[in-house]
Amino acid sequence: VSVALYSLLGGFHAVVWTDAIPGIILIAGALVTAVYLLLHMPQGPGQIFSVAAAAHKFSLGSFGSSLEEPTFWVVLLYGIFINLQNYGLDQNYVQRYMAASTESQARRSAFWGGMLYLPVSAVFLFIGTALYSFYHSGAAVLPAQLEQAGASDRIFPYFMVTQLPTGITGLLIASVFAAGMSTVSTSINSSATVFLTDYYSRYHKGDVSDKAKMRVLYLFSVGIGVGGILVALAMINVKSALDTWWKLASIFSGGMLGLFLLAAFSRATRSTAALWGVVAGVIAILWLSLSPLMGPGPLASPFHSYLTIVFGTAVLFLVGFFVT
């Protein structure tokens, strides 16, 4: 509710500032955690690496050719396509490009955002590995319920409240909230902007006054905020938020990315060809995403769910290109 409120009242200006400052808190909290873990291993920092290496926690996954499992190649393909989607057409990113003073500033922002993504992600992956070593070295004991499969998302919060000193615990909890707040505020603002520019302004008869535009933005922001709360409540029992997000992102963004690439690389594309591509892409996405519900059989997809965005994008692009 509070995020929806400041996004509503402050607009894009509020979104940028409340993304930048919590982002700094998030990175600071992660670095403090990593250093704490290194300094509190019973046998010194090196024990993190020895325990983790013995359990193959530094493995990049299987390098096999199977497309049914999340192998290294499957995850790599997914990463390429999802980041094409993020940096190319995700409105959370696009609105930042539009806010830049010049095109060169927008390019520089995208470049450094991508470069920062790598070390920040590495820090959080290291924290996950270090937590494994911490609780398997005798430094502390996990409750039995957290050692069960599907409880991994709860280990970091448990570590925060039981191991970190007062003050640092608050910083880490604030950083977790900051990560969620920045994502939600950006989504509320960009979704309202898309609704206004691509639907309301386009199909509304006659000129739309600035006052009317603001009213539409306010109303749609409230609607998105309420919708987000309802979705969060519906997903409260999801075992792994990250895995669920990856799967949903594949399903809902594959068609958009394919259409974007078709427009970018096929200058002669007509709307009819694009429509055929969209139909084929949606059919491919539906087949890939609904196969797990159908169970084994001749119509079941032999591909992992991460590949939904890969094949959905490829089918849409190729069909649209060849029809053109």
Side-chain angles (χ1 to χ4, degrees), residues 184-197:
V184 174
S185 64
T186 303
S187 299
I188 290 174
N189 185 266
S190 61
S191 298
T193 303
V194 168
F195 178 78
L196 173 67
T197 56

Side-chain angles (χ1 to χ4, degrees), residues 78-89 93 117 257 309:
Y78 173 84
I80 291 171
F81 276 76
I82 200 66
N83 279 293
L84 277 174
Q85 185 263 335
N86 286 342
Y87 282 88
L89 61 125
Y93 292 73
Y117 181 88
L257 177 58
I309 187 173

Side-chain angles (χ1 to χ4, degrees), residues 130-142:
L131 284 171
Y132 176 89
S133 299
F134 184 80
Y135 285 111
H136 283 78
S137 65
V141 179
L142 275 177

Side-chain angles (χ1 to χ4, degrees), residues 44-66:
Q47 191 177 12
I48 284 182
F49 301 95
S50 59
V51 173
H56 306 291
K57 290 297 179 179
F58 291 113
S59 168
L60 294 177
S62 168
F63 283 85
S65 59
S66 172

Side-chain angles (χ1 to χ4, degrees), residues 34-45:
V35 171
Y36 182 93
L37 285 164
L38 285 168
L39 297 179
H40 286 79
M41 294 296 292
Q43 298 177 22

